Amino acid sequence: MVAGNGLFYPLVGFAVCFAFMYMFLGNMSFHNYELPKMSFVETNGAQFMVDGKVFYVNGWNSYWLMYLGTEDYTAPKVREVLQLGAKMGLTVCRTWAFNDGAYNALQISPGQFDERVFGALDNVIAEARRHGIRLILSLVNNLQNFGGKTQYVKWAWEEGVALSSSNDSFFYDPSIRSYFKNYVKAVLTRKNSVTGIQYRDDPTIFAWELMNEPRCMSDPSGDTLQDWIEEMAGFVKSIDKKHLLTVGLEGFYGPTSPGKLNLNPADWAGAFGTDFIRNSKTPTIDFASVHVYPDHWSEGLEPEEKINFASKWVKTHIEDGDKELKKPIFFTEFGLVDDKKTFQPIHREKFYKTIYDNIYKSAKKKRSGAGACFWQFLVGGMEEYEDGNGIVPRERSSIYKVITDQSCRLARIQGGQDHLQGSLKDICSKMAN
């Protein structure tokens, strides 16, 4: 008995240790095995390329992925939307890689991070990879939502180092620029706790976006914002040369394009300190981003007027990509508000189809219209995130069909019918028939 007990406990300890090592190593190999092969997206002139083949994007926005991923009861929404997107043939999702000083903040204070929230972002990236979805990760907000540049200015003011209380000091205050650079470095060099891959080495990330809809209204000449873009783009590229980079612009023309100011939705759009052509020509910027919101930008337009504006806006920017920028043009946000008054679902379907048709025509001609991401993709039970632009595609078969038809058309351009796989092959076969 004494001898038996003496052997029993060491054996139990060895077994527990072995089981732990097996589970740990097993999980590591599981992640490596389960992650599908994925290559970095590159550019060749005005087109995106993957593995030497042209790549056109049909994608969406779900800005809330990391935010919902931090809570157990909402985290399943992350997998759900990525699964549904993949089944619709969507290939790129644009989402926030920031939450500064707000509830469930990623960056609690300058250079201080919540590991729980970073873990949620790790999981978003790993889950996207599992479903073959690439991510555009935006690094800061121009707006106050999720902290934005306002929070950076507040931090500098509270620490007594701010040059000004103006939100636009985000772009020119040396202390704030240092805060942002430290943040960028922390994100780009983050080692994913799920996959073990540093963000800067992970092809799941389609591109980095410097800022969501940057504006610097205190300097309508555009010089302040241009200086910030050049410095920050160069900084990103000094750390990460593998990923593409864009600014995050809405597409408004500025002082260096006087002949195009009349194409803006209104006079105010030319005084925001942004300058689409100038900003996008920055050598370290790989592609141009454009947003399309006719009802946000202009009041009193009839549905057909909104569609006509959108069509002209898209065509004009594609021409910019072809003739001036020689870079891909990516419509990273577009939406039409359900105002509950004059809105009819058919209006949104026509609007989406107008955007998609212009991109498809450009793609067929191998021009610079590289893709679009609608704003925003929701799943059931997310009413609190509805902003008038949100859609739950499965709840309306007609909009679901408009979106999936675009996936099929672009997939055929990229690789023909034989290129289609899985659920998309079934969907596209039915469409062809």
Side-chain angles (χ1 to χ4, degrees):
M1 291 293 293
V2 173
N5 285 338
L7 287 172
F8 176 76
Y9 291 108
L11 286 172
V12 169
F14 176 80
V16 170
C17 182
F18 178 82
F20 175 79
M21 290 178 66
Y22 177 81
M23 291 174 65
F24 177 74
L25 294 173
N27 279 339
M28 287 180 64
S29 61
F30 171 79
H31 290 313
N32 290 334
Y33 178 78
E34 287 293 315
L35 295 177
K37 184 180 182 299
M38 191 175 279
S39 301
F40 287 93
V41 180
E42 301 173 319
T43 60
N44 181 13
Q47 293 181 312
F48 293 132
M49 307 292 291
V50 175
D51 292 329
K53 297 180 180 179
V54 67
F55 181 66
Y56 298 107
V57 179
N58 196 24
W60 83 93
N61 284 267
S62 288
Y63 69 89
W64 40 264
L65 292 181
M66 179 184 71
Y67 188 75
L68 264 62
T70 59
E71 303 287 355
D72 291 341
Y73 69 97
T74 54
K77 300 292 185 186
V78 174
R79 176 172 292 182
E80 184 178 357
V81 77
L82 291 168
Q83 285 178 332
L84 290 174
K87 288 179 179 178
M88 295 171 66
L90 304 176
T91 53
V92 174
C93 174
R94 179 172 171 265
T95 193
W96 295 170
F98 62 81
N99 187 9
D100 302 304
Y103 178 71
N104 273 338
L106 172 58
Q107 186 174 207
I108 303 167
S109 59
Q112 300 299 313
F113 302 92
D114 187 330
E115 181 60 28
R116 178 180 61 93
V117 181
F118 237 144
L121 183 56
D122 291 343
N123 189 63
V124 166
I125 296 171
E127 195 67 38
R129 178 74 170 266
R130 292 188 188 108
H131 293 93
I133 302 294
R134 290 179 166 86
L135 300 172
I136 297 176
L137 296 181
S138 188
L139 295 169
V140 70
N141 207 355
N142 182 75
L143 308 173
Q144 293 187 25
N145 296 341
F146 296 88
K149 65 183 185 183
T150 301
Q151 181 61 67
Y152 278 86
V153 174
K154 182 180 179 182
W155 281 331
W157 192 260
E158 290 173 345
E159 292 188 10
V161 297
L163 295 179
S164 168
S165 61
S166 166
N167 282 352
D168 283 350
S169 66
F170 175 87
F171 297 114
Y172 59 79
D173 188 314
S175 297
I176 298 174
R177 285 192 178 199
S178 179
Y179 289 165
F180 185 61
K181 284 181 177 180
N182 290 339
Y183 178 75
V184 168
K185 184 177 180 180
V187 172
L188 271 57
T189 60
R190 165 77 176 182
K191 185 176 182 180
N192 192 307
S193 61
V194 179
T195 66
I197 304 171
Q198 280 197 351
Y199 286 12
R200 61 180 170 182
D201 296 325
D202 194 338
T204 312
I205 299 169
F206 177 97
W208 302 109
E209 181 181 89
L210 288 178
M211 173 179 269
N212 174 52
E213 298 185 343
R215 297 179 179 182
C216 185
M217 298 176 66
S218 61
D219 182 9
S221 75
D223 291 344
T224 298
L225 182 58
Q226 180 63 24
D227 181 66
W228 182 85
I229 291 169
E230 291 176 2
E231 181 173 343
M232 296 307 163
F235 182 74
V236 169
K237 290 294 187 178
S238 73
I239 299 172
D240 179 2
K241 295 180 173 62
K242 296 179 179 179
H243 286 105
L244 301 181
L245 179 65
T246 194
V247 178
L249 299 168
E250 296 159 276
F252 300 138
Y253 295 105
T256 65
S257 302
K260 294 188 174 184
L261 292 175
N262 65 316
L263 298 173
N264 283 334
D267 290 343
W268 50 257
F272 280 163
T274 65
D275 197 328
F276 176 71
I277 299 296
R278 182 188 184 190
N279 299 157
S280 301
K281 276 186 175 180
T282 305
T284 42
I285 295 300
D286 298 297
F287 66 93
S289 58
V290 183
H291 294 180
V292 193
Y293 288 111
D295 43 11
H296 280 302
W297 296 341
S298 301
E299 295 182 0
L301 295 182
E302 294 297 321
E304 287 302 316
E305 292 176 310
K306 295 175 183 177
I307 290 172
N308 290 338
F309 169 84
S311 182
K312 186 175 182 179
W313 187 250
V314 170
K315 288 177 181 177
T316 299
H317 285 82
I318 289 175
E319 289 177 2
D320 292 334
D322 293 331
K323 298 177 181 178
E324 293 197 57
L325 300 175
K326 311 296 184 183
K327 296 180 180 181
I329 305 296
F330 195 162
F331 299 89
T332 50
E333 284 189 32
F334 69 91
L336 193 68
V337 174
D338 179 353
D339 60 10
K340 308 300 181 185
K341 297 176 182 177
T342 60
F343 178 85
Q344 296 293 328
I346 189 65
H347 297 156
R348 179 172 284 155
E349 291 154 24
K350 288 182 177 180
F351 175 74
Y352 273 45
K353 196 169 187 308
T354 296
I355 305 292
Y356 288 154
D357 284 349
N358 278 295
I359 290 169
Y360 177 65
K361 290 174 184 176
S362 176
K364 285 188 70 176
K365 296 176 181 178
K366 299 181 179 180
R367 296 175 63 195
S368 67
C373 292
F374 65 85
W375 183 283
Q376 61 164 319
F377 195 160
L378 300 176
V379 291
M382 294 189 65
E383 289 77 12
E384 63 186 291
Y385 291 88
E386 174 58 77
D387 58 1
N389 294 281
I391 60 169
V392 182
R394 282 191 168 180
E395 291 184 356
R396 186 169 181 82
S397 59
S398 53
I399 194 70
Y400 181 91
K401 185 177 185 303
V402 170
I403 296 169
T404 53
D405 282 358
Q406 179 73 349
S407 295
C408 294
R409 293 197 296 180
L410 295 180
R412 288 198 178 97
I413 291 176
Q414 292 171 167
Q417 186 72 27
D418 295 337
H419 173 72
L420 304 176
Q421 297 179 351
S423 57
L424 183 61
K425 185 173 184 179
D426 296 333
I427 292 172
C428 297
S429 295
K430 292 176 182 177
M431 186 187 81
N433 296 330

